[in-house]
Structure formats: C-alpha cells, structure tokens
Amino acid sequence: MRFGTTLRKTTYAPWKDKYVDYDKLKKLLKESDGGSSVEDDDDQWTADDESAFVDELLNVQLEKVHAFQADTYQKLRDRTTACESKLDPIAIGLKKDAGDEGEANGADKKPEVASEEREKILKEVLEELDKITREVNELEKYCRINYTALYKATKKHDRKRGEAYKLRAFLDTRIAELPFNKEDYSPLLYRLSAMYSFVRQSLDGKTKESLSFAESHTGGESFTSHKFWVHPENLLEVKTVILRRLPVLVYNPQTSKVAEGSQRDPTLTSVYFDNPSFKLYTDKVNQAPDAASLRLRWYGQLADKPDILFEKKTITDGDSSEEQRFPIKEKYIEQFIEGKYKMEKSVQKIQNREGESSESADNFQKAVDDIQAFIKENQLQPVLRANYTRTAFQIPGDDRVRISLDTDLALIREDAIDTERPCRDPEDWHRKDIDDASMEYPFSGIRKGEINRFPFALLEIKVKGYKKYEWVDDLMDSHLVKGAPRFSKFVHGVAMLFEDNINSFPFWRSDVDSDIRQEPQQAFEQEQDRKAKMAEEEFAVGSLFGTRPSGSYRPSISSPVGSPAGAGGKSLKDRISAGRSSLPYATSPAAKEDVPEEGSDDEDSQMPSAGLTKSSGLRSFLPSFSSSKYARAHQTPNARLPPGVSNPTSWIKDQGPVRVEAKVWLANQRTFIKWQHVGVLLASLSLGLFNAAGPSNNVARALAVVYTLVAVFTLIWGWAIYMIRAKMIKERSPKDFDNQVGPIIVCIGLVVALCLNFGFQYHAMLQRQEQQNGVAVQNSTLLEPQRVELM
C-alpha cells in the first residue's frame, strides 16, 4: 500500500486540515501519482522549485504540525484540570464522611454535593475522561503519521532531486527544534488513571477507605498469566485501554500507591544465572520437568543501594511454579555464590526477632540452603542481564487483576565464558562498567555483539481465580497485542546473544523480526476463528469423555465469518448440536474401523480394541513401513466419514503465511549430517582396506571397491533426501517424510559385503590349511627313507 493511501486512511476526521499536505508536497516535487517525475529533463528542476519545496516542507508543514500538537496537548491538560476541579467537592465530602475533619476543614469551604448531583457530576466527568483519553490516543497517532509523512517526502526529494544537496540532515535539525514527536504523555495518563479509579469506585458506592485499600475477594486462589507483545505504535493505545479500568501503581518494595503525575516508571534489572553448557536454558526451552531459573533482581541503579533479591523459580506441574527468594546485600553476593557465606547474620536477626523455631526463620534458611546448593550443583554463574522499564496497573489492595507493561527491554551479556575476552570480570558477580557508570537505555556504551534491544513491549496480565472480565478478554483478543504465551526474557536473551553455545531455540525467535501489527478486522476474524476452533475442540474432548461441551463460545453478532458450505446456514452451535446427535463412532465399530484416531502418530501407541481390522501383507510383516498418519490416510482413501462431515477442500495448516519452527529445519540438518558421517566412515574403511590389501590381494581390493560404492551412495542419498525434505517443509507437503529405501540399500550392501568378506576369507583360510597339510605330508615322505637307513 502506498503511503498516500495509508495517510488518508489513518486521518482523524475532526483534524483533517491539520495533517501534512502530502499531495501538495508531491506536486511541488513534480511527481505524478504513479511515483515517477513529471518532467524527464533534470534541467526542469530549478532553484525556485527547490526553494519552494524546502520552504513548504521545513517551514509551513512542519510548523503547522508542531503548533497543532502543542496547542492540542495543552487543551487536553486544561480539560483534565477542569475534571479534577469538578471532583474536588465530592472528594471533600468523602473525607468528611470518613471523619477526616482536620483535612476537610483545611480545604476551601464548599457546600456538600447532593446525592443526585454527585452521581450526575461523576457520569459527566467519566464521559469527559473517555473523550480526553480517546483524543490523547489520536494525538499520538497524529504525531507518528505526520512524522512519517515528513520523512517520506524528504526521502523522495533526496532520491529524485537531491543531486545538489540532501534534505535529511536539515529535517533532523528542524525536528530537533520543533520536537512534536517527542512528547511524553505518561504524566497526563497518570492523572487520567487516578481520576478513572476515583470516579468508577465512587459510582460503585465505595467509601474513602475502600478507594485506597480494596478488599481482596479471592484470597488463596491461583493466578492465570497471559503474555503478549505490543508494537510501539500500539503502546499508548494499550495504556489508555488499561487505565480506564485500573490505576497506575508505583513499584515500591515497601508500599503500593496510585502514581502521581511526576512519578517516573521504575527500571528493573535482572541478572540471570546459568553454566557454560546452558543447562537451565535448555531445560526451560525443552520444558523439562522441574526446569528452574535463578536470578538477582533490583529496582533502579545499583549505585543507589537498592534492595536486591535472590530468586529461584521452578516449574512444577503444567504451568504452575514454585518460587524461593530472600534479600541479600551487594557486598555478600560474591561470597554467597562461592559458598563462603550462608547468610548467618540475616538468619540470626530473624531468630532474634521472631524466635529460633519460628516458621519465617526456617523458610528463610531453607531458601538460602536450596539456592546455594542449586548454584554449587549446577556450577552456575551470571550470564545475562535484562534491563527494562515497568509500568504496573492494579487497584491497591485488590489483586484480582494485575497488569504489567515492560518497555525499553535491553538484554546484555553478563558472562565470563570466553576467558580471553570476558564481558564480566570473572572475580566479580556483575559488570562494573554498566553499574559504576549508571548506564541507562539504550546502553550506547555496550559493544554491538553484547546487547540485544527487544523491538516490542511486553504485556503480562494476571487474573486471580476463574472469574472472566470482559474488558480483559477484549484487550487480549484485540489487534493491539500479539500472544506470546511462553515468552521468557532469559530464554530470549540467551537465544539472541549465545547462538554458538546452544542447540535449541524458542519457537518465537523467528517472529521477532516480523511486523506484528494487524488490521482490526483481520484480528477480529482470526479471533472468531480461534474461538470456533476452541468450541469444536471442547466438543471433541467432551465426546471422548462423555461430557457436554462448554458453551462459552458464542459467535459475535458482527462476526464476518459466514456459514461454511454445506452447513445450511446454521450457526456453529446448531452445527455442533447436529453433529453430536449424528456422530456414529461412539458406538459403531465400523466407524472406528474407518476413521483413524486423531493425534496418534505412531501405530505402536494405539491400543487394540474391538472392531479394528488386523493388518496384513507387507505392513504386518514390516510394521515400520508407512506408519505415519499421512500414509495411513493414503492407504484408506475411500474411508467413510460420519454424517454431516465432508472432506475439507484445504488443510488448516496450509492457510496463512508459512511459519516453520527452527527445530524442524534443525532436525532435517541433523539427519543430513548423520548420513554424511556414515558415508565418511565407510569411505575411510574402504580406503584403509584398499591400502592394507597390497597388490596381490585381489579379494580385499575388490571388497574395498564395494565399500567405496556403498559410501558414495550414502553421501548422494543423504544430500538428495535433505533437499527433498527441505522442499517438502517449505511447501508444507502432506506426503510422508520417512523413506526407508536408502537405509535398506545401505544395510543390504554392508551385509552382502561383510558376508562376501567372511566367505572369501574363510575360503582362503581353508586353502592355506590344505597347503600346509600337503607340505607336511610331503616332508614326512622324504624323511621316511632316512629313518630306514639309520635303523
């Protein structure tokens, strides 16, 4: 899509005249709609044309955008202040109701607001807050699209008319003077967030105490975590969606309170541990049982003496985890890692305060012993640093919904694995070049190969219990976020910075360089498809276990997904109901015979059951032949389908862009390398046999030639099957990936060669024995006359 079309589509109608006049700039540049210059003769571009274009771009258009942005932002701040003024009388009334007479008397004398008037004011302010929030979001989009328009026009000029001089440097200078795209909207968002929290809870009839510390209604229940990536262009819009429901919190180890307008989001630093073989990383990527991670974490700069936490997280059953943590001072960290210090002072303080047999002291001591033993057992050392800025959203005292948004994520090497060029002093636990200089993002002083800057923001939503929140579901299903369910900063950092040290990669690695933005309609359709598939999966599971499927999914009224062919215009719910009543393979042996079980890729994993036919022919003799589900489907091409089910016209896996996990390519490469390894071994054997045979041993020389032919075939077969499988992966072919012809030929060739070798050697041994016997008989006949004479 051309930029001019994009600009027209993203224009906010009330501000239509305030955008960069991109068409006018193209006309001044003498460019046609097709993108080519109107005049072919370069002499037609005169100095007057150059001056007119530069003046329009750097003065008229840039100044227009900057002036509108500054004026609109100021108006939004004024409207926010006006909303705060409207809420002042209500806040004073709440203080009086709560008994804060001293604080209320110190305020201006204002009449108390009646109940009806109070509700009216709150609703008016809530409506105004929605308008302000929407315009803040539109203003950020306005700045971004106009910034792009100015640079696009400059790029066109430099490419087509920039023979005399380039405009890019001039544009950078002018934008530095008029920085309309550098505005920080966070302080305004914090004010809006605080008012949203006040208004909504006031409308719910909560008192002053409940506004500050809400009750925890779901204590003891587990959390469900959802992780997403957020494109920088969608970051502000995501914030505005969240703050309408949750206030912004200050991350403070001591207290949690609503953020003030001048409060900066805190930076967090985590130093992760692993060993030179990256065992912890491998276990986490491969989802090994009891996979664990270890890190040191603190807020702010290390020079400010923050509280440092040692944390160990172990994945137990499924996605549940166990955490152990304890605070530690910076001066004791290196001694603790080396096993010279066991936190005796901290344990003694807890015992003195709460008693020697207190539960807190025992838990603290257990965490210390477990983490220190974990370090010693796995020979762990600091290998990776993650630094990021965190914005947290939560109602203070109410942890039912907790949201964190991490931006400016930088992953930095913290290892001393390369002894010749260590990133960190091996005698210290952290990089002093970063902490002593109090470096901040983007860490320009770090060498290129030692840092990876993550291009997106990270959104994590934690919901307590099983209650559904509609606004949370809408956010997770929107086009603003991209799901990243198992994303880990530690795993991603190791995968990006230690490629030569690891053999497995996370599945999301290939998505980092892609554009994760989506059109809203496209995201809506994909979400409807996903929910429909989930409903069908629930029905399938329910039919297996004899339970009813969940009715959680209901297609949206505005869903663009139409009824599929053959469904008779029925809704998904009706089609599922009809399919449930007509599916025969719950009771029909014939259906069991014709329809293979879903998901059973290996025949050995299928349990024998009544009604299943026995295998016969070559398949019963060699069960390893064509054992994949694709081969079984091809062997029964005319299998009967249940009523109401028709053959699909295309596979679901063939829809959408081609996305192949790295482990698929690596598996194909490993197979190719194994084939070449076998071929080289056979070639070495044949060469050694040929050289050791000598010119007179024709049998050994012939066998060496046979081994050489087998080796050549092995090398050619390995290369051919590698190329064929690579093509099948790219094309997402449903054909079999297994091919037993090559291994069988190689095995038969080796067996025949070994048998011939044994036979020839055995025959030669018999001949040598016969010759030796003949010589012995001849010698005995010669010695017999001599014995007679002697007698």
Side-chain angles (χ1 to χ4, degrees), residues 311-377:
E311 297 179 334
K312 177 189 175 185
K313 184 177 181 180
T314 305
I315 305 298
T316 54
D317 297 330
D319 291 332
S320 60
S321 62
E322 294 180 355
E323 293 187 4
Q324 291 179 308
R325 65 178 65 180
F326 64 90
I328 186 173
K329 292 184 179 180
E330 178 188 355
K331 60 183 179 180
Y332 297 130
I333 293 177
E334 184 64 24
Q335 300 178 34
F336 180 85
I337 295 174
E338 294 175 354
K340 300 177 181 178
Y341 180 65
K342 298 183 180 299
M343 303 295 295
E344 295 89 351
K345 294 182 180 180
S346 299
V347 175
Q348 187 63 40
K349 288 181 180 179
I350 298 176
Q351 291 177 347
N352 294 338
R353 185 174 62 249
E354 302 182 13
E356 294 184 0
S357 60
S358 65
E359 184 178 356
S360 299
D362 294 339
N363 292 338
F364 188 94
Q365 186 66 61
K366 184 178 184 303
V368 170
D369 295 340
D370 290 348
I371 290 179
Q372 197 162 51
F374 185 67
I375 294 175
K376 183 178 180 180
E377 178 183 351

Side-chain angles (χ1 to χ4, degrees), residues 156-404:
K156 286 181 177 293
H157 170 274
D158 293 347
R159 186 177 68 251
K160 298 180 179 296
R161 306 297 186 184
E163 296 165 352
Y165 60 88
K166 307 293 184 181
L167 281 182
R168 177 64 181 269
F170 294 93
L171 180 63
D172 292 339
T173 303
R174 285 289 288 163
I175 289 182
E177 298 172 357
L178 305 173
F180 68 91
N181 64 319
K182 301 294 185 181
E183 187 67 61
D184 184 12
Y185 299 98
S186 296
L188 180 59
L189 292 179
Y190 292 157
R191 295 171 60 189
L192 295 173
S193 173
M195 282 191 288
Y196 264 117
S197 178
F198 178 88
V199 170
R200 291 192 179 277
Q201 296 187 57
S202 297
L203 288 173
D204 293 339
K206 296 186 177 180
T207 62
K208 177 178 179 286
E209 289 80 9
S210 64
L211 290 176
S212 299
F213 299 99
E215 294 180 351
S216 181
H217 302 284
T218 56
E221 297 180 10
S222 60
F223 283 94
T224 303
S225 178
H226 308 275
K227 296 181 180 180
F228 303 91
W229 292 352
V230 182
H231 195 277
E233 293 186 359
N234 298 330
L235 188 57
L236 184 63
E237 190 170 354
V238 170
K239 287 185 178 181
T240 57
V241 170
I242 298 172
L243 63 82
R244 292 181 181 181
R245 300 289 180 176
L246 300 177
V248 180
L249 290 186
V250 178
Y251 260 76
N252 190 308
Q254 305 298 331
T255 62
S256 293
K257 58 183 180 180
V258 177
E260 300 175 357
S262 59
Q263 179 69 39
R264 286 186 58 186
D265 290 331
T267 58
L268 277 78
T269 301
S270 297
V271 175
Y272 293 93
F273 287 68
D274 210 334
N275 51 32
S277 61
F278 292 95
K279 179 180 182 301
L280 303 188
Y281 165 86
T282 304
D283 291 345
K284 200 169 181 67
V285 171
N286 298 332
Q287 301 178 22
D290 298 330
S293 60
L294 183 67
R295 69 177 180 180
L296 287 163
R297 181 170 63 90
W298 67 88
Y299 287 82
Q301 296 291 343
L302 197 60
D304 299 332
K305 305 297 181 182
D307 293 335
I308 303 176
L309 290 177
F310 232 130
E311 297 179 334
K312 177 189 175 185
K313 184 177 181 180
T314 305
I315 305 298
T316 54
D317 297 330
D319 291 332
S320 60
S321 62
E322 294 180 355
E323 293 187 4
Q324 291 179 308
R325 65 178 65 180
F326 64 90
I328 186 173
K329 292 184 179 180
E330 178 188 355
K331 60 183 179 180
Y332 297 130
I333 293 177
E334 184 64 24
Q335 300 178 34
F336 180 85
I337 295 174
E338 294 175 354
K340 300 177 181 178
Y341 180 65
K342 298 183 180 299
M343 303 295 295
E344 295 89 351
K345 294 182 180 180
S346 299
V347 175
Q348 187 63 40
K349 288 181 180 179
I350 298 176
Q351 291 177 347
N352 294 338
R353 185 174 62 249
E354 302 182 13
E356 294 184 0
S357 60
S358 65
E359 184 178 356
S360 299
D362 294 339
N363 292 338
F364 188 94
Q365 186 66 61
K366 184 178 184 303
V368 170
D369 295 340
D370 290 348
I371 290 179
Q372 197 162 51
F374 185 67
I375 294 175
K376 183 178 180 180
E377 178 183 351
N378 295 279
Q379 299 181 353
L380 302 180
Q381 60 173 284
V383 296
L384 179 72
R385 174 186 296 240
N387 182 275
Y388 49 95
T389 301
R390 169 159 291 183
T391 306
F393 303 85
Q394 180 186 338
I395 299 175
D398 185 354
D399 61 349
R400 289 175 293 175
V401 180
R402 296 160 49 192
I403 298 179
S404 63

Side-chain angles (χ1 to χ4, degrees), residues 726-756:
K727 182 180 179 182
M728 292 170 65
I729 293 173
K730 292 179 181 179
E731 296 177 352
R732 294 191 292 196
S733 174
K735 298 179 181 178
D736 280 341
F737 280 78
D738 53 339
N739 195 317
Q740 292 86 2
V741 176
I744 290 176
I745 292 178
V746 173
C747 292
I748 292 176
L750 291 177
V751 169
V752 170
L754 290 173
C755 292
L756 291 176

Side-chain angles (χ1 to χ4, degrees), residues 628-657:
S628 69
K629 60 183 179 182
Y630 297 122
R632 292 197 297 270
H634 296 160
Q635 290 167 2
T636 56
N638 299 321
R640 290 190 299 106
L641 295 175
V645 180
S646 58
N647 273 318
T649 56
S650 62
W651 295 98
I652 296 177
K653 67 180 183 63
D654 293 333
Q655 300 175 4

Side-chain angles (χ1 to χ4, degrees), residues 17 81 427 640:
D17 298 332
T81 303
E427 303 299 325
R640 290 190 299 106

